[in-house]
Amino acid sequence: MELKRKYAGALVGALVAIAAPAAANALTLVIPFGNSPGAGSGKFVDTYTFNFPMAGTASVVLGSTQSGPGTNVNFATNSVRFNNVILSVVSSGTVELQELLNQPVAAGSQTLTIKGFAQALGSYAGTVTFASAPEPSTWAMMILGMGAIGYSMRRRRVAVKVAYAA
């Protein structure tokens, strides 16, 4: 029994050692962007290009606020797009917020297009968050690790004898 525990411990240690480099390949990027487009004619079209090194998921959050006279930005209806996918409107009016969550993306160039109307001092800001998908080896090591933990927990059950006083 002691030998089985040693082997199980060695197996779990080996799985952790193998899974650590695979998990290190996971990547998260948070990229801020923004502009003050109001200095022109009022209408604006801004295009941002992002390059992601591998496939994963991307989330976009975009917002504007009105901090005083002449600072309003209104995004045109259905005109904020990430890779031609329309962002969802969370709030509109004085404070506008749009988002797109966990959109699958391929490696390479991604495009965010923002169209709207801005007053003279209007501005907006947002972030694009990229998270790479775990590699298949990471999933395999995680599943094997859970199996090893489950096996060791099952093997550690000790029969309890109950004695009743007579």
Side-chain angles (χ1 to χ4, degrees), residues 1-8 151-152 154-158:
M1 184 67 142
E2 186 64 32
L3 187 60
K4 285 185 180 180
R5 285 188 188 159
K6 287 182 181 179
Y7 282 130
Y151 175 77
S152 66
R154 181 165 187 224
R155 302 306 300 163
R156 288 187 185 179
R157 290 187 184 166
V158 177

Side-chain angles (χ1 to χ4, degrees), residues 14-84:
L15 291 175
V16 169
I18 292 170
N25 291 333
L27 176 67
T28 301
L29 300 172
V30 178
I31 307 165
F33 64 90
N35 194 11
S36 297
S41 65
K43 289 184 179 181
F44 69 92
V45 177
D46 291 337
T47 302
Y48 299 92
T49 302
F50 306 96
N51 288 309
F52 298 147
M54 59 187 73
T57 59
S59 296
V60 180
V61 177
L62 171 67
S64 72
T65 60
Q66 186 172 8
S67 59
T71 63
N72 194 24
V73 171
N74 293 314
F75 303 118
T77 305
N78 297 329
S79 293
V80 180
R81 297 171 183 251
F82 182 75
N83 291 339
N84 212 25

